[in-house]
């Protein structure tokens, strides 16, 4: 079958506003928009201004009213608690309406922020949708972040209320969330009025009198409330992501554009129909979870799987195949690292044959580079199409994809294929000029960005301009580098900033450096992301100690690893700090991180002409060799 992609992309190019106005018919409006696009304050472009909508209404009530009430909306499959629970659209709508009433009873109203610090339980989804129902702005913080990171987010978005759970369950331990939250609130300058805690049987939490409320009590006392009409561009949520510095960036998403683009992506990108089951194996704390566990599948009338487990070890490498067959999953979206983990445990794919995957159509990969080896292994073992697609927290949906719903294009390994309708992707040189096909450069998107793209950074318009808009006027700087080949296929090769990608999670080496530098024995440090066979990248630190410190290197390294775990969280996967006597620098004092990374990864490298002292590279190479790197 030939692909409709060229024709649909051309239709978008010919008239972007007409294209998105047509897609906007896929959602219900309380009031239609005055204009499709307002570019008068570009780059603060706004889609569908003047319209009134409610995201929760479109995700739940509309389906109940339209006859989908008895269809499953959410399946919580939790191998870590050995349980599966199911909610129909009607049941989910009723719980959300009631919890929204509970939030209102605590004084939460339109525009108030609510932080959600929860594991992958249905109550997290209920909270997000309840906020959307009353126009409160949720900000979900991933459970693998530590108290200090949570405190930073509390101070930045100043929530009126926080919703949390007593614990999360990792395969090797129970993670007590509540003490982390208590510590974060203590560290933060801003204090929430109330905390609602969902008590889990695995470990109950102590509730502080006067401030903390039990989820069950809030629900019991609450009256269900209706959806509130919201402006198209009112914020739906804030989601923090890593940038170059330790200060996380609060990406702000709107209501209308977000719904329009996400709804289109379910059919256009993923080729999934209403009524089918969609599974994004991620966490609600990441953008993948926001877009493809919660919002897009529900907006499209699908059944969504919320998975509380890991690709391996819960209990073994067959769990993905069990979930797909048990819930009749049509499409799975995960990060390549999951498949590397499965392959490592079951290299021949022998566990796949134990399950009926006949209803499963497509595997989608994103979050990090899909290495051709992993893609080909998955194709061969599953005998299904494996689709790489590329996007970011900032965009909420794919900027480049092989749009299965339009008919897939031929796959080129290592490429997420071509720009999706809505995205005009270019590769620029440092002066902002387009480069020739096949030449690497900074990847940018011509403005205006499509619907669902970030409105700004929370309380930080200038940071938004600085991070994305100033380097290449008229374009959005993605922070990724790569090239476009002669057939128009895009290749994402690396980042242009200090962001590294650990198991599909985005973290800032700058933030880890800040933690190391704060240790009293550390004079200076550098953190680099090195290759890892499972997680894609992991961070390592190189530290120079203050004069006169004679602490054993092992002890210092253990202290630093503990500090990063305590201040950023286990998700940073920081396990190695090497003590060196000097760091390699240019004559102007810039640390040569790129050269050190190449040495650690055993890649070819050349002596930088600007290096101040070549012997410093021998020093770090030697330290890396002792740690089993730079072989
Ligand atoms: N709450 C608390 N701690 C958490 C957590 C959470 N929600 N999620 C992860 N952690 C902890 C883990 O327990 C682990 O701690 P440890 O150092 O004590 O072992 C650490 O954070 C790193 O976790 P993780 O990245 O899950 O690594 P892992 O080694 O436990 O598992 C994989 C490796 C590949 C199985 C795992 O990374 C994975 O499932 N990746 C899938 C990719 C994915 O979901 N990406 C999301 C974006 S699409
Ligand atoms: P996040 O905002 O956490 O989703 O991380 C986004 C970043 O992950 C991107 O800027 C890329 O660096 C990387 N990324 C996501 N998807 C892909 C992909 N398909 N190929 C290569 N890199 C990717």
């Amino acid at each position: 079958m030939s692909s409709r992609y060229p024709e649909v992309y051309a239709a978008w190019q010919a008239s972007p506003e007409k294209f998105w106005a047509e897609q906007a018919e896929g959602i219900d409006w309380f009031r239609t928009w005055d204009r499709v696009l307002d570019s008068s304050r570009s780059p603060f472009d706004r889609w569908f201004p003047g319209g009134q909508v409610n995201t929760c209404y479109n995700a739940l009530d509309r389906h109940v009213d339209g006859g989908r009430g008895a269809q499953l909306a959410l399946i919580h499959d939790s191998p870590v608690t050995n349980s599966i629970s199911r909610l129909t659209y009607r049941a989910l709508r009723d719980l959300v309406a009631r919890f929204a009433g509970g939030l209102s009873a605590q004084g939460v109203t339109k525009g108030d922020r609510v932080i959600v610090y929860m594991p992958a339980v249905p109550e997290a989804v209920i909270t997000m949708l309840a906020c959307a129902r009353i126009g409160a702005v949720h900000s979900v913080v991933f459970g693998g972040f530590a108290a200090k990171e949570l405190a930073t987010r509390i101070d930045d978005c100043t929530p009126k209320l926080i919703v949390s759970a007593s614990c999360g369950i990792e395969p090797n331990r129970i993670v007590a969330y509540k003490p982390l939250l208590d510590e974060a609130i203590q560290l933060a300058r801003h204090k929430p009025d109330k905390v609602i805690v969902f008590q889990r049987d695995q470990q109950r939490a102590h509730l502080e009198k006067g401030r903390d409320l039990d989820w069950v009590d809030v629900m019991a006392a609450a009256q269900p409330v209706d959806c509130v009409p919201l402006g198209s561009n009112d914020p739906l949520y804030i989601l923090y992501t890593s940038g170059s510095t330790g200060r996380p960036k609060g990406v702000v998403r709107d209501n209308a554009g977000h719904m329009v683009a996400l709804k289109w992506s379910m059919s256009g990108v993923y080729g999934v129909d209403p009524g089918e089951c969609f599974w994004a194996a991620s966490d609600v704390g990441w953008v993948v979870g926001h877009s493809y566990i919660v919002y897009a599948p529900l907006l499209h009338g699908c059944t969504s799987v919320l998975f509380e487990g890991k690709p391996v070890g819960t209990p073994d490498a067959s769990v993905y195949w069990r979930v797909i067959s048990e819930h009749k999953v049509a499409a799975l979206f995960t990060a390549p690292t999951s498949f590397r983990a499965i392959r490592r445990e079951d290299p021949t794919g022998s566990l796949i044959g134990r399950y009926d995957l006949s209803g499963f159509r497509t595997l989608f990969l994103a979050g990090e580079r899909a290495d051709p080896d992993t893609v080909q292994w998955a194709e061969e073992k599953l005998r299904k199409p494996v689709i790489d697609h590329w996007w970011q927290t900032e965009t909420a949906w794919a900027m480049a994809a092989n749009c299965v719903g339009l008919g897939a294009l031929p796959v080129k390994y290592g490429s997420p294929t071509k720009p999706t309708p809505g995205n005009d992707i270019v590769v620029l040189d440092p002066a902002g000029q387009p480069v020739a096909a096949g030449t690497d450069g900074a990847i940018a998107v011509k403005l205006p960005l499509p619907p669902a793209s970030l409105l700004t950074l929370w309380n930080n318009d200038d940071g938004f301009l600085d991070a994305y808009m100033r380097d290449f006027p008229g374009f959005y700087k993605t922070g990724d580098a790569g090239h476009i080949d002669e057939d128009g296929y895009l290749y994402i090769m690396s980042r242009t900033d200090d962001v590294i990608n650990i198991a599909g999670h985005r973290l800032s080496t700058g933030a880890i450096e800040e933690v190391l530098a704060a240790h009293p024995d550390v004079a200076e440090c550098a953190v680099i992301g090195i290759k890892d066979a499972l997680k894609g990248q992991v961070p390592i630190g190189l530290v120079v100690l203050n004069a006169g410190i004679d602490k054993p290197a092992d002890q210092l390294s253990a202290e630093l690893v503990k500090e990063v775990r305590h201040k950023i969280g286990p998700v940073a996967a920081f396990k190695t700090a090497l003590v060196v006597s000097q760091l390699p620098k240019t004559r102007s004092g810039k640390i040569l991180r790129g050269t050190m990374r190449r040495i650690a990864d055993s890649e070819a490298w050349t002596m930088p002409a600007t290096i101040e002292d070549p012997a410093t590279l021998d020093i770090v190479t030697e330290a890396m060799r002792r740690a089993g790197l730079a072989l």
Side-chain angles (χ1 to χ4, degrees):
M1 192 189 86
S2 71
S3 173
R4 285 175 51 233
Y5 167 81
E7 166 200 327
V8 174
Y9 191 79
W12 164 74
Q13 268 181 317
S15 179
E17 295 192 27
K18 179 163 175 274
F19 179 87
W20 288 117
E22 282 168 13
Q23 309 319 322
E25 283 165 23
I27 65 162
D28 280 5
W29 299 76
F30 294 130
R31 180 185 187 278
T32 45
W33 56 90
D34 295 331
R35 298 167 66 178
V36 178
L37 173 67
D38 176 5
S39 282
S40 60
R41 287 197 318 124
S42 183
F44 296 95
D45 298 314
R46 295 294 177 257
W47 288 95
F48 309 110
Q52 287 200 329
V53 286
N54 185 285
T55 297
C56 182
Y57 178 81
N58 275 279
L60 298 176
D61 301 63
R62 179 174 65 134
H63 299 309
V64 177
D65 299 345
R68 262 183 216 287
Q71 183 197 309
L72 288 183
L74 190 67
I75 300 173
H76 179 227
D77 189 308
S78 170
V80 291
T81 58
N82 211 7
S83 68
I84 297 175
S85 61
R86 298 175 171 85
L87 290 168
T88 61
Y89 269 94
R90 177 167 290 107
L92 183 58
R93 193 270 316 261
D94 291 350
L95 288 167
V96 167
R98 185 171 285 278
F99 192 62
L103 291 175
S104 302
Q106 296 308 320
V108 176
T109 56
K110 185 183 158 191
D112 286 339
R113 275 80 57 213
V114 173
I115 279 192
V116 185
Y117 186 59
M118 295 179 101
V121 289
E123 287 71 16
V125 178
I126 291 168
T127 306
M128 292 164 76
L129 290 162
C131 288
R133 195 169 186 87
I134 57 173
V137 182
H138 63 69
S139 186
V140 184
V141 178
F142 178 61
F145 282 118
K148 188 171 168 288
E149 288 288 313
L150 180 54
T152 309
R153 287 154 174 78
I154 293 174
D155 277 334
D156 199 67
C157 76
T158 59
K160 179 150 203 163
L161 184 143
I162 297 181
V163 184
S164 189
S166 55
C167 67
I169 295 140
E170 284 293 291
N172 54 358
R173 67 187 194 286
I174 289 183
V175 183
Y177 274 46
K178 184 62 179 14
L180 293 171
L181 175 60
D182 288 340
E183 187 187 339
I185 294 175
Q186 204 183 0
L187 287 171
R189 284 184 309 279
H190 172 82
K191 311 290 174 196
D193 295 349
K194 292 278 181 232
V195 172
I196 299 177
V197 180
F198 174 65
Q199 296 277 22
R200 302 186 84 186
D201 291 339
Q202 290 76 10
Q203 186 166 323
R204 295 178 72 81
H206 166 77
L207 301 188
E208 201 176 299
K209 251 190 147 186
R211 189 197 68 186
D212 298 349
L213 305 165
D214 189 315
W215 172 283
V216 173
D217 297 338
V218 172
M219 282 300 250
Q223 291 302 318
V225 293
D226 262 342
C227 298
V228 170
L230 299 169
S232 291
N233 307 124
D234 283 345
L236 170 69
Y237 70 75
I238 304 165
L239 179 58
Y240 288 89
T241 188
S242 300
S244 301
T245 66
R247 182 179 173 191
K249 303 190 286 190
V251 164
V252 181
R253 194 84 64 212
D254 72 357
N255 275 279
H258 179 243
M259 282 196 274
V260 170
L262 258 54
K263 173 94 175 70
W264 182 81
S265 74
M266 287 302 285
S267 52
V269 175
Y270 298 102
V272 170
D273 289 329
E276 291 194 306
C277 185
F278 189 85
W279 176 23
S282 179
D283 186 279
V284 287
W286 305 113
V287 71
V288 176
H290 280 63
S291 292
Y292 292 106
I293 297 175
V294 184
Y295 289 112
L298 298 180
L299 290 167
H300 201 49
C302 290
T303 301
S304 179
V305 178
L306 174 66
F307 177 67
E308 191 180 15
K310 303 260 175 174
V312 293
T314 59
D316 59 30
S318 74
V319 67
Y320 272 30
W321 324 130
R322 197 265 300 154
V323 171
I324 290 173
S325 77
E326 190 160 350
H327 307 308
K328 301 191 173 46
V329 170
L332 164 66
F333 176 167
T334 189
T337 191
S338 303
F339 268 73
R340 290 196 294 271
I342 293 170
R343 181 185 182 181
R344 202 164 72 164
E345 300 275 304
D346 180 22
T348 60
S350 64
L351 299 172
I352 299 174
R354 291 195 195 163
Y355 292 93
D356 174 11
L357 304 189
S358 55
F360 178 54
R361 283 200 303 275
T362 327
L363 169 65
F364 292 90
L365 299 176
E368 56 175 325
R369 184 161 185 272
D371 53 291
D373 212 31
T374 303
V375 174
Q376 281 161 342
W377 183 85
E379 276 177 345
E380 189 194 308
K381 301 301 174 202
L382 288 169
R383 279 179 264 118
K384 310 278 178 187
V386 178
I387 304 294
D388 178 17
H389 59 324
W390 167 70
W391 52 292
Q392 311 177 305
T393 305
E394 288 82 349
T395 66
W397 66 290
M399 287 182 281
N402 199 344
C403 291
V404 171
L406 305 180
L409 297 168
V411 168
K412 288 200 189 190
Y413 294 107
S415 166
T417 314
K418 297 194 179 188
T420 50
N423 289 286
D424 182 354
I425 299 178
V426 293
V427 181
L428 303 175
D429 68 15
Q433 295 306 309
V435 301
T439 307
D440 279 330
I443 301 174
V445 184
K446 194 164 182 299
L447 299 180
L449 290 173
S453 306
L454 77 170
L455 296 185
T456 184
L457 296 178
W458 182 253
N459 271 341
N460 191 6
D461 282 352
D462 205 50
F464 165 79
L465 295 173
D466 248 3
Y468 308 109
M469 302 298 179
R470 285 208 167 109
D471 284 2
F472 306 120
F475 295 87
Y476 163 78
K477 181 180 79 169
T478 66
D480 285 325
H483 58 268
I484 297 177
D485 75 6
E486 266 152 16
D487 299 324
Y489 279 62
L490 180 68
Y491 291 77
I492 311 294
M493 306 310 289
S494 60
R495 291 283 306 184
T496 57
D497 55 15
D498 298 335
V499 166
I500 57 172
N501 199 309
I502 306 163
H505 308 146
R506 178 166 152 187
L507 281 126
S508 153
T509 53
I512 303 175
E513 284 181 5
E514 282 179 24
V515 176
L516 303 189
H519 189 286
D521 298 341
V522 171
E524 59 176 347
C525 65
V527 172
I528 53 175
I530 64 165
K531 278 195 194 124
D532 182 79
L534 176 64
K535 298 192 177 190
Q537 277 184 307
V538 289
I540 64 161
L542 294 120
V543 295
V544 178
L545 302 187
N546 286 318
I549 303 289
D550 58 359
K551 207 178 257 178
D554 279 0
Q555 185 189 335
L556 192 99
S557 173
E559 285 174 19
L560 293 173
V561 166
K562 204 167 148 212
E563 273 300 285
V564 173
R565 198 177 168 89
H566 183 65
K567 291 201 173 137
I568 296 183
V571 69
F574 183 77
K575 311 261 182 203
T576 312
L578 307 177
V579 176
V580 291
S581 56
Q582 280 182 73
L583 286 171
K585 290 183 186 163
T586 62
R587 281 189 285 275
S588 60
K590 210 166 162 258
I591 297 173
L592 289 161
R593 292 182 178 76
T595 311
M596 288 198 286
R597 187 194 56 71
R598 278 187 285 278
I599 294 173
D601 287 343
S602 312
E603 284 176 10
W605 59 277
T606 47
M607 180 65 70
T610 53
I611 194 164
E612 190 184 22
D613 177 4
T616 51
L617 282 177
D618 297 335
I619 293 170
V620 297
T621 306
E622 185 46 37
M624 287 173 179
R625 290 219 169 108
R626 281 200 303 273
L629 306 166
L631 299 172

